[in-house]
Amino acid sequence: MSLEATFLCLDTSEWMRNGDYSPSRLEIQADAANREMLITLSSDIGCLLECMTKVKVEGKIDIVAALKTVQLALKHRQNKAQRQRAILFVGSPVCADKAEVVRMAKRLKKNNVAVDVISFGEVEENAEVLQALVDNVNANGNSHILTVPPGPHILSDQLWNSPIIMTNASGGGGSGSGG
């Protein structure tokens, strides 16, 4: 069983107010992640859960900036023996250029950072860019994408039954936020 330093990036853009998922995209994302991190790498679950109350919905998502933050934070993790992983929730349109996302993915792959993407909300609009991200960061099947369309699906249930959780069930580590 190997340990992981995991960084969660939750989408806090204006699009997260939409009610196409019940009760809202932000709330189902929080339920699935069970925490939103506004702190540095930590394994203190209480501190992580308390930070969820401080989430502000504003602006647009910037996955390239979020992934740069992930890379920097994971570079400075306490336990260098831990594998590095980012879990990126995307519930709004991705405005980043596909080429820029691919460059960032290759940089993350070079630094041995795995990236799992949970796409919900604007799934069709984001499919090409997010698939390119996962395809270019993937090394030996360590990165995954989960797409959850609107409807009767419960994001947390879909996540728990996905390879993202199934392959990370033994991992641990800290968490953080971006985007």
Side-chain angles (χ1 to χ4, degrees):
M1 167 166 64
S2 64
L3 295 176
E4 285 187 341
T6 304
F7 199 99
L8 291 178
C9 296
L10 301 185
D11 188 345
T12 58
S13 67
E14 291 289 340
W15 287 79
M16 299 308 287
R17 295 182 197 273
N18 288 355
D20 53 346
Y21 292 81
S22 180
S24 73
R25 292 181 186 184
L26 183 66
E27 290 180 40
I28 61 126
Q29 172 185 244
D31 178 51
N34 217 1
R35 51 193 164 267
E36 204 282 300
M37 293 5 106
L38 300 171
I39 59 174
T40 59
L41 293 173
S42 173
S43 57
D44 181 356
I45 298 299
C47 185
L48 300 177
L49 292 172
E50 188 250 327
C51 287
M52 189 60 206
T53 61
K54 299 176 185 174
V55 172
K56 293 179 184 152
V57 177
E58 58 189 5
K60 296 180 180 180
I61 189 171
D62 186 348
I63 63 171
V64 174
L67 291 172
K68 286 179 180 178
T69 303
V70 165
Q71 183 179 15
L72 182 62
L74 291 175
K75 180 180 179 182
H76 297 290
R77 67 195 183 281
Q78 291 177 345
N79 184 350
K80 299 295 184 187
Q82 291 176 321
R83 293 183 306 168
Q84 303 171 86
R85 176 170 304 279
I87 300 177
L88 182 66
F89 285 81
V90 181
S92 57
V94 174
C95 299
D97 179 47
K98 182 179 173 183
E100 187 179 11
V101 171
V102 167
R103 275 193 303 278
M104 189 66 219
K106 289 179 180 180
R107 186 179 312 152
L108 291 167
K109 182 177 182 177
K110 180 181 175 186
N111 290 302
N112 298 316
V113 179
V115 177
D116 292 321
V117 177
I118 296 98
S119 176
F120 61 103
E122 309 303 312
V123 269
E124 292 176 12
E125 185 176 333
N126 294 336
E128 184 180 350
V129 173
L130 296 178
Q131 190 62 54
L133 168 66
V134 171
D135 290 346
N136 283 280
V137 77
N138 194 14
N140 300 319
N142 69 346
S143 298
H144 308 89
I145 187 167
L146 171 66
T147 302
V148 182
H153 316 288
I154 299 173
L155 183 62
S156 58
D157 289 347
Q158 297 287 319
L159 183 58
W160 280 103
N161 294 319
S162 74
I164 294 171
I165 297 296
M166 300 308 287
T167 58
N168 296 333
S170 62
S175 303
S177 161

